[in-house]
Each structure stands twice: as structure tokens, then as C-alpha cells.
């Protein structure tokens, strides 16, 4: 059985989650850029080497060609979206836990925590899908040498002008397919690890910073172990020209399997896993610090 601090406050989760999300982006965005470029690089011509031979080659070429700023390309979109997105994510998790409690002191099982995490994935898609679309387009633009978009706002305006709100939200179904099960795994794993790492007779709220970092980082790895295949499909679909995949993710999946094999669904695996631990460790540490602050300044919130 899982132990958790009582009572659950979705509102505090909202504010603390927003701060945790900002911490995640600052730590993790450079490797997210590498991940997207690896996932969307064009198939090489016969006899020609790929644009990037792997994670470290992509990192080196980006750094040499564009400097540190290249690693943070497209960060404005996730920064703008990440505070409300993670706020809503953690709010959804808190609400999911609250809805499953018959009494305020009920302790939730791990399947119940997984279900609460899945609800958070549904909540975040509304914010996540357009931010991901804009971020991916800006990240690959620099790699191709094109300058179609001058920034996040210009990208959003052009997408809306070309295809309306559907253009901005292209890839929403794939975002749901990625985030719903992955979010369930994410939060359940974090709660499970916190319980394991809590010394006998102590509360999970008393965990040390290193243990919070370890639990958060490992939760991020479990999250992405589930999320990588739909994330590859999402990145490819969101950056494809209009009309290329009329049947949506099914066309993307068929093309990838036919041309590059099953392994193509794990493109960017190394970059994702290198990023997952520190980024999510920072996220959960930021969340826990913000939650303690809120419990101090507004205990009744």
C-alpha cells in the first residue's frame, strides 16, 4: 500500500507543479532538442551517412554549428506552456487521488495512483499538444537551415493561418497516446520509490534532497520507457508537411516500420534517457520544495 501526506490539495499541487515544470525545462531542454533532431532526421540516400550518427554526434554538430543557443532552440514555447502544463498535470494527479478517496485519510493503492496519473495526462494534452508542435518545428528548422519561423509566436500564427486551430493542435491523439499511460507510470513510480526510500518510522515528507532527486529521476526514466514509441510517431507526424499522413499515426507507423524497422520507434532513446533523470529529478525537487513552502505560508489552502 502507498503512503502519502494527508490531506491531498489539488490546488497546492497546481502551484507547486508549475514551479517543478520550469525546473524541468531549464535542465532538460538541450537534450530534448537532440532527441527531436534524431527522431526527425531524413532517411539518408543510398551510400550516404545519416545526418547524425547518434546522440553525441548530434550534440557536437549542434554545439559547433549553432553554439549553446542551438541547444535551447524552441525553448520559449515549452517555457510559456510548461508552467500551466505542469501545474495542470500535478493538479490532475492531485484531483485523481482525491476522487478515489472515500475519506481524507484513505491510503491509495498503486493501481489507484496509476489511474490518478493517467488522469493528469488527459488534463495536460490540451496545453501540451500545441506547445510540442511549435517546439518540434523550431527544433528541426535550425537543423535544416530554413528560416520559415522567426520564433514561437510567429510559428503559432503561421500554423493558425495555414490550417486553423487544427494546424496548431496537429498530433493531439498521439500526444494522448504518449502522455496518458506514461503519466500513470510516472506518478506511480515516484510514489512507490518515495515509500521505499522513506526510513522506518519517518514520513515521506521528510525525505532528503538526494532521495527526492533519485526518486524523481528514476520516475522520469520509467515514464519515458513507456512514452518513447508514441513520442517518435508524434514528432514525425507533427513535423511532416500537410497531407503527408492522411490516416494519421497509422501511416507514420507503417512508413517507419517498412523503411527503418521496429528499432526506429526508439530513435533518440539515448538522448531521452540521459535527459530523463536530471530533468525529472529537478522537476520533483522543485515540486517538493514549492509544496513545503506552500504548506508553510498557506496551510489551509
Amino acid at each position: 500500500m502507498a503512503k502519502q501526506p494527508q490531506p491531498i490539495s489539488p490546488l497546492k499541487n497546481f502551484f507547486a507543479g508549475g514551479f517543478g515544470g520550469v525546473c524541468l525545462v531549464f535542465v532538460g531542454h538541450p537534450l530534448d532538442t537532440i532527441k527531436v533532431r534524431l527522431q526527425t532526421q531524413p532517411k539518408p540516400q543510398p551510400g550516404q551517412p545519416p545526418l547524425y550518427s547518434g546522440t553525441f554526434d548530434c550534440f557536437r554538430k549542434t554545439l559547433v554549428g549553432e553554439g549553446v543557443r542551438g541547444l535551447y532552440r524552441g525553448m520559449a514555447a515549452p517555457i510559456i506552456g510548461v508552467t500551466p502544463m505542469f501545474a495542470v498535470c500535478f493538479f490532475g494527479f492531485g484531483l485523481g487521488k482525491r476522487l478515489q478517496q472515500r475519506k481524507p485519510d484513505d491510503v491509495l493503492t498503486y493501481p489507484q495512483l496509476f489511474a490518478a496519473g493517467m488522469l493528469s495526462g488527459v488534463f495536460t494534452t490540451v496545453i501540451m499538444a500545441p506547445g510540442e508542435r511549435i517546439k518540434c518545428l523550431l527544433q528541426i528548422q535550425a537543423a535544416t537551415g530554413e528560416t520559415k519561423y522567426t520564433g514561437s509566436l510567429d510559428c503559432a500564427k503561421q500554423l493558425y493561418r495555414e490550417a486553423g486551430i487544427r494546424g496548431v493542435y496537429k498530433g493531439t491523439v498521439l500526444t494522448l497516446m504518449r502522455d496518458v499511460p506514461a503519466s500513470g507510470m510516472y506518478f506511480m513510480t515516484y510514489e512507490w520509490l518515495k515509500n521505499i526510500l522513506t526510513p522506518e518510522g519517518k514520513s515521506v515528507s521528510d525525505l532528503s534532497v538526494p532521495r527526492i532527486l533519485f526518486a524523481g529521476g528514476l520516475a522520469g526514466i520509467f515514464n519515458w520507457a513507456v512514452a518513447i514509441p508514441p513520442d517518435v510517431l508524434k514528432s514525425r507526424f507533427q513535423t511532416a508537411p500537410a497531407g503527408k499522413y492522411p490516416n494519421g499515426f497509422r501511416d507514420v507507423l507503417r512508413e517507419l516500420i517498412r523503411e527503418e524497422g521496429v528499432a526506429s520507434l526508439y530513435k533518440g532513446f539515448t538522448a531521452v534517457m540521459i535527459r530523463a533523470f536530471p530533468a525529472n529529478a529537478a522537476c520533483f525537487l522543485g515540486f517538493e520544495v514549492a509544496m513545503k513552502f506552500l504548506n508553510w505560508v498557506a496551510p489551509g489552502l
Side-chain angles (χ1 to χ4, degrees), residues 75 116 209:
M75 193 176 75
V209 168

Side-chain angles (χ1 to χ4, degrees), residues 142-165:
T144 59
E146 297 177 0
T147 54
K148 182 178 180 182
Y149 310 113
T150 59
S152 299
L153 186 58
D154 179 57
C155 182
K157 287 179 178 178
Q158 289 196 45
L159 290 173
Y160 185 78
R161 189 162 53 244
E162 291 168 4
I165 197 68

Side-chain angles (χ1 to χ4, degrees), residues 34-68:
I34 301 303
K35 178 205 72 173
V36 171
R37 290 186 177 184
L38 287 169
Q39 290 176 344
T40 59
Q41 66 175 319
K43 186 181 178 183
Q45 297 296 320
Q48 296 294 317
L51 181 60
Y52 307 115
S53 61
T55 298
F56 297 104
D57 182 54
C58 183
F59 181 87
R60 180 183 61 81
K61 287 179 177 176
T62 300
L63 199 59
V64 170
E66 304 168 52
V68 175

Side-chain angles (χ1 to χ4, degrees), residues 16 24 68 77 80 105 127 191 200 202 211 222 227 241 248:
L24 179 143
V68 175
I80 292 170
D105 59 348
I127 301 171
E191 297 288 343
E200 190 70 31
K202 296 284 187 178
R211 293 188 180 201
F222 274 79

Side-chain angles (χ1 to χ4, degrees), residues 29-253:
H29 190 80
L31 278 160
D32 187 71
T33 298
I34 301 303
K35 178 205 72 173
V36 171
R37 290 186 177 184
L38 287 169
Q39 290 176 344
T40 59
Q41 66 175 319
K43 186 181 178 183
Q45 297 296 320
Q48 296 294 317
L51 181 60
Y52 307 115
S53 61
T55 298
F56 297 104
D57 182 54
C58 183
F59 181 87
R60 180 183 61 81
K61 287 179 177 176
T62 300
L63 199 59
V64 170
E66 304 168 52
V68 175
R69 290 184 64 183
L71 295 171
Y72 283 90
R73 195 76 64 179
M75 193 176 75
I79 279 291
I80 292 170
V82 80
T83 301
M85 188 272 290
F86 268 84
V88 168
C89 177
F90 278 84
F91 172 83
F93 179 57
L95 180 62
K97 290 195 292 182
R98 173 75 72 80
L99 290 173
Q100 295 180 87
Q101 287 184 310
R102 293 184 178 180
K103 296 180 294 183
D105 59 348
D106 280 350
V107 176
L108 300 182
T109 64
Y110 292 118
Q112 287 176 314
L113 291 170
F114 185 86
M118 289 176 69
L119 179 63
S120 78
V122 175
F123 272 53
T124 57
T125 296
V126 174
I127 301 171
M128 193 77 164
E132 287 275 302
R133 170 103 154 111
I134 292 166
K135 179 200 70 173
C136 289
L137 288 171
L138 290 174
Q139 285 172 331
I140 66 165
Q141 172 179 271
T144 59
E146 297 177 0
T147 54
K148 182 178 180 182
Y149 310 113
T150 59
S152 299
L153 186 58
D154 179 57
C155 182
K157 287 179 178 178
Q158 289 196 45
L159 290 173
Y160 185 78
R161 189 162 53 244
E162 291 168 4
I165 197 68
R166 289 172 63 92
V168 177
Y169 274 88
K170 181 179 179 180
T172 298
V173 172
L174 279 164
T175 305
L176 275 170
M177 289 173 61
R178 181 193 68 177
D179 288 350
V180 170
S183 294
M185 181 63 72
Y186 186 53
F187 284 108
M188 182 188 72
T189 302
Y190 180 64
E191 297 288 343
W192 169 61
L193 288 168
K194 282 203 302 180
N195 289 335
I196 288 177
L197 295 170
T198 300
E200 190 70 31
K202 296 284 187 178
S203 167
V204 290
S205 61
D206 298 324
L207 274 182
S208 64
V209 168
R211 293 188 180 201
I212 291 171
L213 289 171
F214 179 77
L218 211 55
I221 287 177
F222 274 79
N223 169 81
W224 278 104
V226 173
I228 287 178
D231 185 63
V232 172
L233 298 176
K234 181 196 69 66
S235 294
R236 187 67 68 97
F237 182 69
Q238 287 186 318
T239 57
K244 182 175 181 181
Y245 301 116
N247 296 312
F249 74 90
R250 290 171 294 177
D251 286 348
V252 186
L253 179 61

